[in-house]
Amino acid sequence: MRSTPDAETFPVHTPAASQVFTTVLSHGPLTRQEAGRRAGLSPAAVTKAVRPLLEAGYLVEGADEEARPALGRPANLVRVNGERALFIGVKATGDELIAVLTDLCCRIRLARRVPLPDRATPKVLASIADLVQELLGHAAESGAPVRGLGIAVSGDVDRAEGVVRYSPFLEWRDVPLAELAGMTSGLPVTVDNDVRALTVAEQWFGAGAGLSDFAVVTVGAGIGCGLVVHGQVVAGAHGVAGEIGHIVIDPAGAPCHCGNRGCVEAIAGDAALVARVREVTGRQVADTAEAVALAHQGVPGAREVYARAGEAIGRSIATVANLLGPERVIISGEGLAAYDLFAEQIREAFTAAAFGSAAQCDVQTRPLPFEEWARGAAAAAIQSFITSTPSSGKG
């Protein structure tokens, strides 16, 4: 089945409309007064922003019968009509694709996983196309249109151009992924760095909702960081921001795939941990699960590897806190399976390296499966849909 979406776009593209919509999306249902207060807009501006969204069916308004005041009518609440549009999100790892179909409120309706035995661009594109067509088939049964496809990839991703500049785990360079995926899917495509996409989802629906300044730090195959400053996800002038995995901790340390030595990722990334545990124990450690198991068993040297990783991560988080002063840092990623092995060192290194009141930053852990990363890709597609006129092949 080939997708043939019509040309309908989000009905308004003003900052006020996007602000009201995302406010209701994250915090709704809300009264118009509360939506205006949260968005910092006047009642007149809210009315102007809401009217076309109500007319087009993206917002609905009705009485809240459960919150009837003691006297008078129940309050009218505005909420997002999640059934109005659907979105697809795909997260690509080095060996797997995870895809979700979500509604406009980014609630997952269906999730799929397929292995990725070949990282060559044409093979990955074919697998993504198969997944998208399967999810489009399910979407067709609901009657709601699919308005966008989001793809989340690790590494240096230029969202504005839809190009993967460099993805170490896929071994890609300068791949025009949005254009290629748009050709195979027929959908408007948004391509973003996977951590940045996850940060969008956390900002709207997760532990960052309601915060103007926070960071998401991911621990696993790579060490990533998504930043929200003054309510905006930071993309950087050239599409790169928050790359704390490449802060140099030990200039004489192990080489990193980026070309430097002693980066956080070269100390605390999964491949580095497995290699180091293999080296200090003299055992043939095949993967992260075996490395973690040896550390839990108390095999000499293994725990020290994770302790050093925790110190590197803690220092990198302190660097974020010192530079930006976020209210909260959320630690996530598949590496949290070993969190008990380095949690103490993360806290100690963070406290020692954080300057002054930066140490008051709320550091939380939030284990998230890869389906949530795919949901982040869908959130990035929703963000593109409501803030700009989508066009196939560009995010």
Side-chain angles (χ1 to χ4, degrees):
M1 164 182 173
R2 174 61 184 246
S3 167
T4 54
D6 57 50
E8 181 186 339
T9 59
F10 200 61
V12 282
H13 298 287
T14 64
S18 296
Q19 203 169 355
V20 168
F21 187 83
T22 55
T23 297
V24 176
L25 185 66
S26 297
H27 304 289
L30 298 172
T31 64
R32 293 192 186 197
Q33 180 181 11
E34 178 64 12
R37 187 188 69 78
R38 287 178 177 268
L41 297 170
S42 69
V46 172
T47 297
K48 184 177 181 181
V50 163
R51 185 183 296 117
L53 295 170
L54 290 170
E55 291 173 351
Y58 287 96
L59 292 179
V60 293
E61 189 171 26
D64 182 8
E65 297 292 345
E66 296 182 2
R68 181 182 294 275
L71 297 172
R73 298 177 180 177
N76 272 353
L77 297 180
V78 180
R79 64 176 176 83
V80 171
N81 177 13
E83 308 305 311
R84 183 62 177 79
L86 303 178
F87 293 82
I88 294 173
V90 177
K91 153 72 173 173
T93 73
D95 53 16
E96 189 178 29
L97 293 175
I98 304 92
V100 296
L101 177 68
T102 79
D103 64 12
L104 184 55
C105 295
C106 219
R107 293 175 295 221
I108 296 175
R109 289 186 165 203
L110 192 67
R112 289 287 185 268
R113 284 183 176 227
V114 295
L116 197 64
D118 192 330
R119 299 173 186 175
T121 304
K123 297 288 188 181
V124 176
L125 276 167
S127 295
I128 291 175
D130 290 343
L131 274 173
V132 169
Q133 294 306 320
E134 179 185 353
L135 294 180
L136 283 171
H138 286 278
E141 297 173 6
S142 72
V146 176
R147 293 296 181 212
L149 164 63
I151 304 176
V153 179
S154 66
D156 180 356
V157 180
D158 186 336
R159 172 168 167 165
E161 294 298 320
V163 175
V164 179
R165 300 294 181 195
Y166 173 54
S167 180
F169 306 120
L170 288 171
E171 301 172 346
W172 285 2
R173 287 189 182 273
D174 296 320
V175 175
L177 184 57
E179 179 183 357
L180 295 172
M183 292 169 60
T184 58
S185 70
L187 293 170
V189 178
T190 299
V191 176
D192 208 347
N193 169 269
D194 55 354
V195 180
R196 202 157 54 227
L198 181 65
T199 303
V200 173
E202 286 297 287
Q203 180 187 27
W204 284 357
F205 313 108
L211 302 181
S212 63
D213 298 273
F214 72 93
V216 176
V217 172
T218 57
V219 179
I223 309 296
C225 179
L227 303 169
V228 173
V229 178
H230 299 319
Q232 300 295 318
V233 178
V234 177
H238 305 288
V240 176
E243 286 290 344
I244 66 169
H246 300 290
I247 294 174
V248 175
I249 298 294
D250 179 7
C256 180
H257 61 78
C258 74
N260 290 319
R261 284 184 170 271
C263 294
V264 177
E265 200 163 291
I267 297 170
D270 284 348
L273 289 168
V274 171
R276 184 63 179 152
V277 169
R278 189 184 296 135
E279 180 182 340
V280 299
T281 63
R283 303 193 185 192
Q284 294 301 311
V285 183
D287 54 26
T288 304
E290 287 189 22
V292 170
L294 292 177
H296 280 144
Q297 292 163 17
V299 173
R303 275 190 175 271
E304 286 72 16
V305 171
Y306 281 91
R308 184 166 181 256
E311 181 183 356
I313 294 166
R315 287 176 62 182
S316 68
I317 292 173
T319 299
V320 173
N322 291 341
L323 286 172
L324 298 173
E327 184 175 344
R328 178 173 296 158
V329 172
I330 304 154
I331 306 175
S332 190
E334 66 273 26
L336 286 191
Y339 189 69
D340 63 302
L341 294 171
F342 50 60
E344 183 179 352
Q345 287 77 19
I346 289 178
R347 285 194 300 270
E348 290 177 352
F350 171 78
T351 301
F355 176 75
S357 58
Q360 296 176 19
C361 175
D362 176 28
V363 179
Q364 296 186 356
T365 57
R366 182 164 155 79
L368 295 170
F370 275 134
E371 283 75 11
E372 289 297 315
W373 293 65
R375 181 176 180 244
I382 294 171
Q383 185 183 53
S384 290
F385 178 66
I386 65 179
T387 58
S388 63
T389 303
S391 60
S392 185
K394 282 266 180 116

